[in-house]
Amino acid sequence: QVQLVESGGGLVQPGGSLRLSCAASGSIFNLNTMGWYHQAPGKQRELVATITRSGSTNYADSVKGRFTISRDNAKNTVYLQMNSLKPEDTAVYYCNADTQRTFYSRNVNYWGRGTQVTVSS
């Protein structure tokens, strides 16, 4: 009943920038921690960045200083600004969110279907 839809991926040259968006829709009482994860071919999915409802952030060491996660609670949307992109950033990027559907419900985790980011010259 909660859907996450990513957008903004594409092909970019090394050193370039992309801005990913993830919009949450459905019956949502609270959108709690949201995050971005990526998965390259042959590798496991790993955390890129997370952000709490109040704006506290965490980043993987590999993206610190280059990526910025942000959110707009009024729009139920989380963003990932990706600067100084490197070929090793190439992966499918997935949106993740912890949601509480009603006042009485438990917190449930959801995943988007992913958006491809390719960094190549």
Side-chain angles (χ1 to χ4, degrees), residues 31-33 51-57 71 73:
L31 256 186
N32 299 313
T33 299
I51 184 168
T52 68
R53 192 168 61 226
S54 62
S56 180
T57 59
R71 65 190 289 166
N73 291 335

Side-chain angles (χ1 to χ4, degrees), residues 6-40:
E6 303 98 332
S7 62
L11 175 65
V12 65
Q13 294 185 0
S17 298
L18 287 173
R19 189 193 190 210
L20 306 183
S21 299
C22 172
S25 62
S27 181
I28 303 171
F29 180 72
N30 279 322
L31 256 186
N32 299 313
T33 299
M34 303 183 74
W36 290 94
Y37 295 71
H38 67 192
Q39 186 169 21

Side-chain angles (χ1 to χ4, degrees), residues 1 5 8 13 38 42 52 63 71-72 81 86 116:
Q1 296 187 34
V5 180
Q13 294 185 0
H38 67 192
T52 68
V63 306
R71 65 190 289 166
D72 186 335
Q81 179 65 47
K86 305 175 180 179
Q116 177 70 49

